[in-house]
Amino acid sequence: MLQVADLHVRFGGIEALRGVSLRAEPGEIVAVLGRNGAGKSTLLRTISGVSRPWRGTVSWKDQRLDHLSAAAINRLGVVQVPEGRRILGELSVRDNLLLGGYGRRRGREESIRRVLDLFPVLEERLDTSGAALSGGQQQMLAIGRGLVAAPQLLMIDELSLGLAPIVVEELAHRLERLRDEGIGILLVEQEYPLALRIANRVYVIEKGRVGWAGPPSGARDVLVSSYFGRQSAARLGR
Ligand code: ATP
């Protein structure tokens, strides 16, 4: 349903993406893994219309996205949860959620109801300011705000960043629930153990290219080599 084909993105002289192709379907979790600076955030930002490709295409249900505005892409159901959550700290939890459905005429209240079912702790804190939430709750709010936009594909940049393992585990269960409800999830992560547990398919990005793609069961050795170098991987006996 999402097709990225031969995507190249340049920033001045830096070629952040050098021919990335991938696909993601509804009802699956696709993990995009790679070291710091590999190009993962650039990939998500280009799919969501924040950055423009220099070459290549992004298509969604046979419609080209790469010339559309970020707002138009969001309205088509391709929604990004940004790295660092970017919630508005001075606004209440309720208002942050409402902002996620900005421009949606119908169904916003029902979507918020579903978010509160998924993350009951947010219901207890609806009138609290975003800034007063814990890191894990802020990530729930960021995902919740994305869900209020009624995504068919939810793209999450660094789910686990700065969060305790037990919190990440809880978030992962919620993503599995969303997947089982038919939402596609594109999960970008630097930390890979959890992503490998919940993903249906994996892409490993290395220096702006897809270095490897396949099922999570085959990804661990590739990632050890990619993150620590082939010699260290050999020393670790991988
Ligand atoms: P991280 O997890 O650290 O964000 P990443 O895999 O998401 O890493 P990107 O943020 O996509 O990597 O960056 C890929 C490359 O593109 C890096 O060399 C980065 O410095 C460069 N880059 C990204 N955005 C810009 C920009 N707006 N201007 C210039 N260079 C950029």
Side-chain angles (χ1 to χ4, degrees):
M1 204 180 248
L2 177 83
Q3 285 275 4
V4 172
D6 193 29
L7 203 66
H8 293 248
V9 177
R10 284 178 168 174
F11 299 107
I14 298 171
E15 200 164 356
L17 295 183
R18 302 189 288 165
V20 169
S21 299
L22 60 76
R23 68 182 171 83
E25 308 275 344
E28 66 169 356
I29 298 178
V30 173
V32 175
L33 305 173
R35 289 168 64 157
N36 191 0
K40 309 178 299 295
S41 298
T42 302
L43 173 64
L44 285 203
R45 284 203 298 268
T46 309
I47 296 170
S48 60
V50 178
S51 295
R52 292 285 164 207
W54 167 67
R55 219 169 84 190
T57 57
V58 179
S59 310
W60 170 247
K61 299 181 184 174
D62 299 326
Q63 179 174 358
R64 289 277 294 274
L65 298 186
D66 42 276
H67 300 300
L68 298 183
S69 69
I73 292 170
N74 181 290
R75 279 196 298 275
L76 287 172
V78 177
V79 173
Q80 182 175 355
V81 178
E83 183 176 359
R85 345 241 209 255
R86 308 258 177 89
I87 61 159
L88 295 172
E90 66 279 15
L91 294 189
S92 67
V93 166
R94 185 194 311 274
D95 287 343
N96 269 282
L97 289 174
L98 283 168
L99 272 180
Y102 183 76
R104 265 189 86 192
R105 280 186 224 110
R106 282 184 290 165
R108 192 161 69 162
E109 290 302 327
E110 191 193 322
S111 296
I112 291 179
R113 186 69 256 153
R114 287 177 65 195
V115 168
L116 299 178
D117 284 346
L118 189 68
F119 300 121
V121 69
L122 294 182
E123 181 151 29
E124 295 161 20
R125 315 212 64 188
L126 270 177
D127 297 314
T128 307
S129 71
L133 300 181
S134 70
Q137 291 167 354
Q138 288 189 353
Q139 187 62 288
M140 290 175 195
L141 180 55
I143 294 170
R145 188 183 53 189
L147 289 171
V148 177
Q152 293 170 54
L153 181 74
L154 188 68
M155 305 191 288
I156 305 177
D157 198 350
E158 302 283 5
L159 177 80
S160 66
L161 193 72
L163 301 180
I166 190 166
V167 175
V168 178
E169 198 65 46
E170 193 183 332
L171 288 168
H173 288 312
R174 301 300 193 280
L175 296 190
E176 289 177 310
R177 193 167 133 189
L178 292 171
R179 181 236 339 249
D180 295 344
E181 288 171 10
I183 294 179
I185 295 175
L186 195 58
L187 179 64
V188 155
E189 274 286 340
Q190 202 168 316
E191 296 295 325
Y192 58 81
L194 175 114
L196 292 188
R197 269 215 312 287
I198 63 171
N200 301 93
R201 291 186 301 110
V202 176
Y203 292 88
V204 178
I205 307 284
E206 293 175 335
K207 295 184 184 156
R209 290 201 170 95
V210 174
W212 186 88
S217 56
R220 192 171 298 273
D221 290 354
V222 178
L223 285 160
V224 171
S225 300
S226 172
Y227 281 46
F228 303 112
R230 303 202 192 274
Q231 285 181 348
S232 317
R235 274 204 300 281
L236 288 169
R238 309 305 298 251

